[in-house]
Amino acid sequence: MRQRLLKYVFPVVCLVALTVGQVLAQDRQVSGKVTDAESGEGLPGVNILEAGTSNGTVTDINGNYTISVGANASISFSFVGYTPQVIVVGSRAVIDAALELDVQSLSEVVVVGYGTQDKKEITSSVTSVKAEDFNKGTVNSPAQLLQGKVAGLNVVRPGGDPNGGFQIRLRGVSTVGANAEPLVVIDGVIGGSLNTVDPNDIASIDVLKDGSAAAIYGTRGSSGVILITTKSGKAGKVSVEYNGSIAMENVARKIPVMDATEYKKLPGAIDLGSDTDWLDVLTKTAYSQVHNLSLGGGTSSTTYRASLNVRDAEGVGINSGFQQLNGRLNLTQKALNDKAVFTVNISSTSKDATYGDANSFRYGIITNPTMPIYDNTTTSPTAGGNFAGYAERDIFDWYNPLSIAEQNIHDGKDTRLLTSIRGEYNFTSNFRTAVFYSRQWESDWRGNYSPKTAKFGGGFGRSGLADISRNDRFNELFETTVNYDISAGDANIALLGGYSYQDFQNEGNYMQGGNFLTDAFTYNNMGAALDFANGLGTISSYKNSNKLVAFFGRANMNYQGTYFLSASARYEGSTRFGANNKWGLFPAVSGGVTLSNLFDLPGVNSLKFRASWGITGNQPPGSYASLQRFGRQGNFFINGAYVPSYGPVSNANPDLAWETKNEIDFGLDFAMLDSRLTGTLDFYKRNTKDLILSVNVPVPPNLFGQTLVNIGELENIGFEAAFNYAAVNTSDFSWTPGINFSTFSTTVVSLTSGDLSFGSGGVLYRANMGSPGQNATNLVRVKEGEKLGQLWGPVQVGILDNGTPEFKDIDGDGTFCDCDDDRTVVGNGLPDFTFGFNNSFTYKNFDVNLFFRGAVGHELYNSYRGFYENTQGTTTDNYNVVNTKYFDPEIKDAKVNSSHVEKADFIKLDNATVGYRVNLAPGSAFSNFRVYLSAQNPFVVTGYTGIDPEVRFVDSGDDSNPNNDDPLSPGIERRVTYFTTRIFTFGINLGF
């Protein structure tokens, strides 16, 4: 009996004893303070870990910590920029640690193509922005994180449309064809979509600015490269973070127009009996919310981070906004004695959007302010009985603005899925190989409906009109790389070789039909549209593909930590090129020398000079561009029925090749005053040749009048500077200002190649003004040998007796003609320079950030004034009048001219944020607790009277003149610009 009891009781007693022992061992509580060894100041955020376990904590804002550990434990202290320390606990209950600066770690790691480098070894122009330096507030796109932060990188979105895209230009205009924006690489995925990554999940963004840095990406590197690195888990204590915010958004700027009282004083004005502020009717206070929850952690062999991001954003315009859900999982697993490392990244984004209609703003600006919003009578001059109670009038180019916004439906659903897996094996400490595979799928669905009662949008004329479209883009990427590091005396050499294969598939369909039995179906039942039964509906679809194959290599040398050299090349082939030009070579070489290691420079901690040269390319805008393509050519009648016919729709060009950008860069990196002042200077010159453009060709011998060819040359010269200064750094207060500045000038060297010319006589006119009445009026001139961005028009010198503007006789023949001979350059749409000015303050637990951004030297064509700042409309169609400081009641004729070109210099407070970090008691459930208030775009200083003085790098046209984002026509504010807004955000950051 006793033996049986011992058999069962003894193991239980042992288990209890072990458990109690472990509990008692964990009961030892250690506290202390971690300081900077030199200054003695407390260090917040130091990682403290019980050695050999996942038990850990971090120091508070003052450097204090508390942790429970075992009796025989050791504690490790680690912090970025400092040498780690390990201290045996023993019998002590209080352990203070003083961390020494780690000079080696102060060399910032920068992500470059296919790897990383210490910043001190970089020989190209590369800028790295970390998460702590990103723009704050309500940020819904990764592009916003960089706005104004990188010298030479312009990120603009005129207006405040929540669904509007950003125009991104690096070092000005490097191409006038397709792919004008930098190539995006997300965690190694080339051509990654910014829409697949949430701003909260980004750890750093590195920008490869010059040709030598971007040449490793070959035919897609001409416009620069943006490398995005997402956050990953860290070994140790599991961390849970929540970031949430709510925001209120209001209209900041809109076009000034006359109110009802002012309008009724105008000659010919018709009083319709109401007093309506149409711009107020069309806008509202918008509310948005963002929620981000992440979970990360792991062990020495496995780390993970999972996140979920929810965004619900309204626009100030009626029926505009979006709801977005994004999820991400990053997982890293080590195996085979840590020689093998596997990384898996998965992200998914789903977005439902309502796009509103910016045309409602356009017509709200010109609508008679005495007109009522609603009118249900059929005998009224507004004839509202046929339009669901909205007041409408039978006048040219006018529609009820509220009807446009409320009746017409513009919906969209976007889906993004990005997955990648990387396997790396380290054969030795200096020899490793890796295999990488990724798949990216993007799907955009759009549904539009204009009901029977909507005068605008086609529904009224078609008894309801609907269209739906879907566009899917899929690509898969396979790459393999080999790295070999060599140490030979004072020289360290890093070699890289690789192979890349990427396959792209694109397909989509479109359907449009009208004549619905009821508006209830909208676009959800296209079969109910009688147009299809009557042969009037439209159906189309497409599918295309292209492939890229590349071999690449790079060698980096570091000699004595003073001399640095890098050389790379990419040999790449694309199916988009012509049969005679499938492959291209893109070489680069760069070098640098740390002068401060060679000379004793008082007050200078580091000074490095670098120089680089590289060639990059640019592909044609679409697949099969070099081939003779076949398409629908109408119908022919056979056997009593019409049968669709097909035939050639383009000319072949077997010589079509890539654009070639040749760039040189000279730079200087420095640190002074005990490294409190750091900065970078760059001068560059780039020439882009063989631009891919469609030009007029003779018929015959060609079948069609236009062919896509390589033609022309651009030259771009610029200077960039960036400075950061730790002005004040005490235990209670710090102030770190930073400024970046950039300038660029783009010259059109040539518009010709052999017998071909893009334009006539080296001159090209673009971007007509549009309807009503100014369809034949071009606003932009492009001329060989002169700067790009020239705004073109007649020069107003007075007013004739009939109220028509009087224009200067430029050609000197005694009379003015409405022709190019009597027009001249009246401005330039591209800025002389842009800048960003950041100020970061801390005071005890408070942190403050003020970020200013500006552009100087550009002009804008104010289309609102060119059409409506005159009294012509009051006497013909009873339009309202744009009422800026330039309004002259004597002008009765709408003719765009030099007086409508305005200086658009501006400086705006992009972001102002005030945060407070709450002191947490030892043992608190939270590791971090911060609240903040943020104001975005609270004010702008400018003399421009339009909606937004922001630079327009392309002309998107408007409803009467769609130009499809023409990069040759910068500097035009069109009438469909979404009003600018200011946003106030309250947010909270929690760490568990």
Side-chain angles (χ1 to χ4, degrees):
M1 182 69 174
R2 181 180 296 178
Q3 290 180 345
R4 292 180 62 186
L5 286 174
L6 289 175
K7 180 179 179 181
Y8 293 103
V9 173
F10 182 74
V12 175
V13 171
C14 290
L15 179 61
V16 171
L18 287 172
T19 303
V20 172
Q22 288 180 344
V23 172
L24 292 175
Q26 289 291 332
D27 278 344
R28 180 178 298 277
Q29 191 175 70
V30 179
S31 61
K33 186 173 184 177
V34 183
T35 58
D36 180 293
E38 182 177 348
S39 67
E41 297 176 3
L43 293 175
V46 175
N47 290 309
I48 301 170
L49 191 68
E50 181 182 358
T53 74
S54 61
N55 177 38
T57 186
V58 295
T59 57
D60 63 17
I61 190 69
N62 299 311
N64 298 314
Y65 75 94
T66 299
I67 187 173
S68 295
V69 298
N72 299 317
S74 297
I75 301 178
S76 69
F77 302 84
S78 62
F79 192 54
V80 176
Y82 289 81
T83 302
Q85 260 189 58
V86 178
I87 300 177
V88 177
V89 174
S91 60
R92 289 178 291 177
V94 176
I95 296 178
D96 295 328
L99 299 186
E100 300 279 353
L101 282 172
D102 182 358
V103 178
Q104 181 68 26
S105 69
L106 290 177
S107 180
E108 180 185 354
V109 174
V110 177
V111 178
V112 295
Y114 297 99
T116 61
Q117 277 187 285
D118 285 343
K119 187 175 182 179
K120 67 180 182 181
E121 297 181 336
I122 294 291
T123 53
S124 303
S125 183
V126 180
T127 299
S128 181
V129 184
K130 306 302 182 184
E132 57 267 24
D133 299 319
F134 289 158
N135 286 320
K136 308 297 190 295
T138 301
V139 175
N140 291 320
S141 168
Q144 289 175 272
L145 299 174
L146 288 177
Q147 199 166 28
K149 293 291 185 179
V150 178
L153 182 70
N154 290 284
V155 181
V156 301
R157 183 183 68 180
D161 186 354
N163 292 302
F166 287 84
Q167 300 170 16
I168 307 176
R169 295 293 185 273
L170 182 60
R171 291 187 164 181
V173 181
S174 60
T175 179
V176 293
N179 310 314
E181 297 195 345
L183 174 70
V184 174
V185 181
I186 302 174
D187 290 331
V189 179
I190 305 175
S193 169
L194 286 177
N195 295 320
T196 63
V197 60
D198 190 272
N200 280 310
D201 290 335
I202 297 178
S204 66
I205 301 178
D206 297 86
V207 182
L208 311 185
K209 297 199 289 187
D210 68 0
S212 68
I216 197 74
Y217 291 105
T219 60
R220 292 175 288 179
S222 274
S223 299
V225 183
I226 294 177
L227 304 172
I228 294 178
T229 303
T230 60
K231 296 176 181 178
S232 57
K234 297 180 180 179
K237 182 180 177 181
V238 173
S239 65
V240 180
E241 294 181 354
Y242 168 77
N243 301 293
S245 65
I246 56 174
M248 179 179 69
E249 187 171 2
N250 289 297
V251 174
R253 288 172 61 91
K254 51 191 176 185
I255 290 291
V257 296
M258 292 191 173
D259 60 27
T261 301
E262 294 170 323
Y263 181 79
K264 286 185 285 188
K265 296 177 182 178
L266 296 174
I270 295 178
D271 184 0
L272 298 175
S274 292
D275 185 350
T276 307
D277 184 341
W278 285 97
L279 301 187
D280 183 64
V281 167
L282 294 169
T283 58
K284 65 182 186 297
T285 298
Y287 296 94
S288 302
Q289 54 182 316
V290 178
H291 304 279
N292 164 256
L293 183 65
S294 65
L295 171 68
T299 65
S300 59
S301 59
T302 305
T303 58
Y304 61 89
R305 184 180 186 274
S307 66
L308 185 67
N309 306 281
V310 179
R311 297 178 180 272
D312 187 348
E314 289 184 337
V316 297
I318 294 172
N319 288 329
S320 64
F322 68 87
Q323 299 81 42
Q324 180 174 292
L325 177 66
N326 170 273
R328 173 173 288 272
L329 173 64
N330 290 355
L331 177 66
T332 300
Q333 176 67 54
K334 296 180 180 179
L336 302 177
N337 296 321
D338 293 345
K339 287 180 176 278
V341 182
F342 299 93
T343 304
V344 176
N345 295 333
I346 303 173
S347 69
S348 177
T349 303
S350 177
K351 177 181 177 180
D352 291 341
T354 52
Y355 292 95
D357 197 323
N359 281 290
S360 64
F361 296 156
R362 168 186 171 183
Y363 291 107
I365 288 167
I366 65 171
T367 297
N368 184 332
T370 70
M371 182 175 173
I373 301 173
Y374 305 103
D375 189 346
N376 287 309
T377 68
T378 57
T379 58
S380 165
T382 63
N386 296 323
F387 301 103
Y390 292 94
E392 294 282 4
R393 302 188 65 207
D394 188 18
I395 58 177
F396 178 72
D397 195 35
W398 183 85
Y399 307 87
N400 186 305
L402 190 62
S403 171
I404 295 174
E406 292 186 337
Q407 289 207 85
N408 292 284
I409 299 173
H410 303 286
D411 293 341
K413 296 181 180 181
D414 297 342
T415 304
R416 306 285 187 265
L417 180 63
L418 177 61
T419 61
S420 66
I421 182 169
R422 185 177 190 271
E424 178 181 299
Y425 189 79
N426 295 269
F427 293 95
T428 65
S429 61
N430 62 345
F431 177 54
R432 61 192 180 277
T433 184
V435 177
F436 181 83
Y437 177 76
S438 71
R439 294 167 67 96
Q440 180 173 257
W441 174 62
E442 300 176 81
S443 180
D444 300 333
W445 177 92
R446 298 292 181 267
N448 303 294
Y449 185 73
S450 180
K452 301 177 181 182
T453 54
K455 183 183 177 186
F456 182 89
F460 183 74
R462 297 279 294 272
S463 191
L465 180 64
D467 66 74
I468 57 174
S469 63
R470 186 184 187 98
N471 295 282
D472 293 339
R473 298 174 298 281
F474 170 82
N475 78 78
E476 57 182 347
L477 170 68
F478 172 80
E479 292 187 319
T480 180
T481 57
V482 176
N483 293 81
Y484 187 62
D485 301 329
I486 303 172
S487 294
D490 291 333
N492 294 313
I493 301 173
L495 301 176
L496 163 74
Y499 166 80
S500 178
Y501 171 89
Q502 196 161 14
D503 186 4
F504 301 85
Q505 303 283 338
N506 307 291
E507 60 181 325
N509 52 69
Y510 174 81
M511 179 184 299
Q512 183 189 66
N515 196 3
F516 284 81
L517 298 175
T518 172
D519 285 329
F521 291 130
T522 68
Y523 51 69
N524 291 309
N525 189 346
M526 294 297 293
L530 300 181
D531 276 359
F532 294 104
N534 297 326
L536 301 175
T538 300
I539 300 176
S540 63
S541 63
Y542 71 91
K543 184 173 183 178
N544 60 67
S545 64
N546 69 94
K547 293 179 176 63
L548 278 169
V549 177
F551 303 89
F552 55 89
R554 180 175 58 214
N556 295 326
M557 185 185 72
N558 176 341
Y559 182 70
Q560 295 183 336
T562 301
Y563 304 95
F564 308 97
L565 182 66
S566 179
S568 70
R570 186 179 182 104
Y571 186 60
E572 188 165 53
S574 171
T575 58
R576 286 186 171 182
F577 299 141
N580 300 331
N581 288 298
K582 289 294 184 185
W583 291 85
L585 178 64
F586 304 93
V589 63
S590 59
V593 56
T594 303
L595 300 175
S596 54
N597 290 350
L598 303 175
F599 308 101
D600 185 13
L601 304 172
V604 176
N605 303 98
S606 175
L607 179 64
K608 182 178 71 177
F609 172 78
R610 49 185 167 75
S612 65
W613 167 84
I615 293 179
T616 52
N618 203 357
Q619 294 189 70
S623 300
Y624 319 131
S626 67
L627 306 177
Q628 184 178 79
R629 302 185 303 277
F630 284 72
R632 182 77 176 265
Q633 294 279 44
N635 302 307
F636 66 94
F637 190 77
I638 185 172
N639 295 330
Y642 285 97
V643 178
S645 63
Y646 290 82
V649 295
S650 68
N651 297 322
N653 180 8
D655 296 319
L656 185 66
W658 51 91
E659 295 181 358
T660 301
K661 186 190 74 176
N662 190 316
E663 182 172 10
I664 58 172
D665 183 287
F666 299 97
L668 202 64
D669 303 324
F670 63 86
M672 304 173 65
L673 306 178
D674 295 327
S675 297
R676 292 170 59 195
L677 174 63
T678 59
T680 298
L681 305 174
D682 275 282
F683 170 80
Y684 65 88
K685 179 176 178 291
R686 56 168 56 164
N687 287 80
T688 307
K689 299 181 180 180
D690 297 328
L691 303 172
I692 300 174
L693 294 167
S694 184
V695 303
N696 294 327
V697 294
V699 179
N702 297 283
L703 290 175
F704 297 93
Q706 286 200 329
T707 299
L708 197 66
V709 300
N710 296 104
I711 189 172
E713 180 181 353
L714 295 178
E715 181 179 83
N716 205 335
I717 297 175
F719 173 76
E720 298 166 354
F723 306 95
N724 286 284
Y725 181 53
V728 181
N729 188 15
T730 67
S731 58
D732 285 340
F733 178 72
S734 70
W735 171 38
T736 305
I739 188 168
N740 68 74
F741 169 94
S742 64
T743 179
F744 70 88
S745 176
T746 303
T747 301
V748 181
V749 177
S750 172
L751 291 173
T752 60
S753 177
D755 295 331
L756 297 177
S757 175
F758 186 59
S760 177
V763 179
L764 182 69
Y765 298 101
R766 314 275 290 189
N768 72 68
M769 185 67 172
S771 177
Q774 303 189 68
N775 281 310
T777 305
N778 293 315
L779 304 178
V780 170
R781 183 184 74 166
V782 183
K783 185 177 181 180
E784 286 185 343
E786 299 188 9
K787 287 187 176 182
L788 184 68
Q790 294 180 349
L791 303 179
W792 185 251
V795 177
Q796 183 182 347
V797 295
I799 305 173
L800 300 176
D801 293 338
N802 63 0
T804 298
E806 181 182 4
F807 299 127
K808 182 179 180 180
D809 174 24
I810 293 176
D811 64 2
D813 65 356
T815 60
F816 172 80
C817 71
D818 192 11
C819 59
D820 289 319
D821 290 341
D822 275 333
R823 294 190 177 108
T824 189
V825 177
V826 292
N828 194 291
L830 297 176
D832 292 332
F833 65 88
T834 60
F835 64 90
F837 180 40
N838 187 69
N839 286 270
S840 296
F841 304 87
T842 63
Y843 177 70
K844 294 185 176 179
N845 289 18
F846 288 94
D847 59 89
V848 179
N849 185 266
L850 302 175
F851 180 68
F852 298 86
R853 182 173 59 86
V856 175
H858 66 293
E859 286 86 21
L860 288 175
Y861 247 124
N862 189 329
S863 295
Y864 302 97
R865 293 185 54 227
F867 276 111
Y868 308 123
E869 195 173 60
N870 56 78
T871 59
Q872 176 184 4
T874 63
T875 57
T876 55
D877 298 313
N878 300 113
Y879 292 157
N880 198 357
V881 174
V882 169
N883 189 22
T884 73
K885 60 185 178 182
Y886 301 108
F887 173 63
D888 186 341
E890 297 300 318
I891 298 179
K892 302 176 183 178
D893 198 6
K895 289 187 179 297
V896 67
N897 59 71
S898 60
S899 70
H900 303 128
V901 176
E902 301 181 41
K903 286 187 176 297
D905 303 347
F906 72 86
I907 178 172
K908 61 174 64 176
L909 178 57
D910 250 7
N911 185 280
T913 300
V914 179
Y916 180 79
R917 192 175 301 276
V918 179
N919 285 330
L920 301 172
S924 170
F926 300 109
S927 60
N928 176 49
F929 186 4
R930 176 178 176 267
V931 295
Y932 67 90
L933 289 171
S934 177
Q936 290 168 263
N937 195 34
F939 70 82
V940 57
V941 179
T942 183
Y944 182 63
T945 65
I947 287 177
D948 195 342
E950 194 70 74
V951 179
R952 270 58 166 195
F953 283 98
V954 298
D955 176 32
S956 299
D958 61 25
D959 222 35
S960 62
N961 177 34
N963 273 341
N964 194 26
D965 289 350
D966 181 9
L968 285 171
S969 305
I972 304 170
E973 179 169 80
R974 292 292 185 175
R975 292 171 289 169
V976 290
T977 300
Y978 198 102
F979 293 161
T980 58
T981 62
R982 61 174 58 93
I983 306 174
F984 299 94
T985 304
F986 170 76
I988 185 171
N989 309 125
L990 289 177
F992 301 89

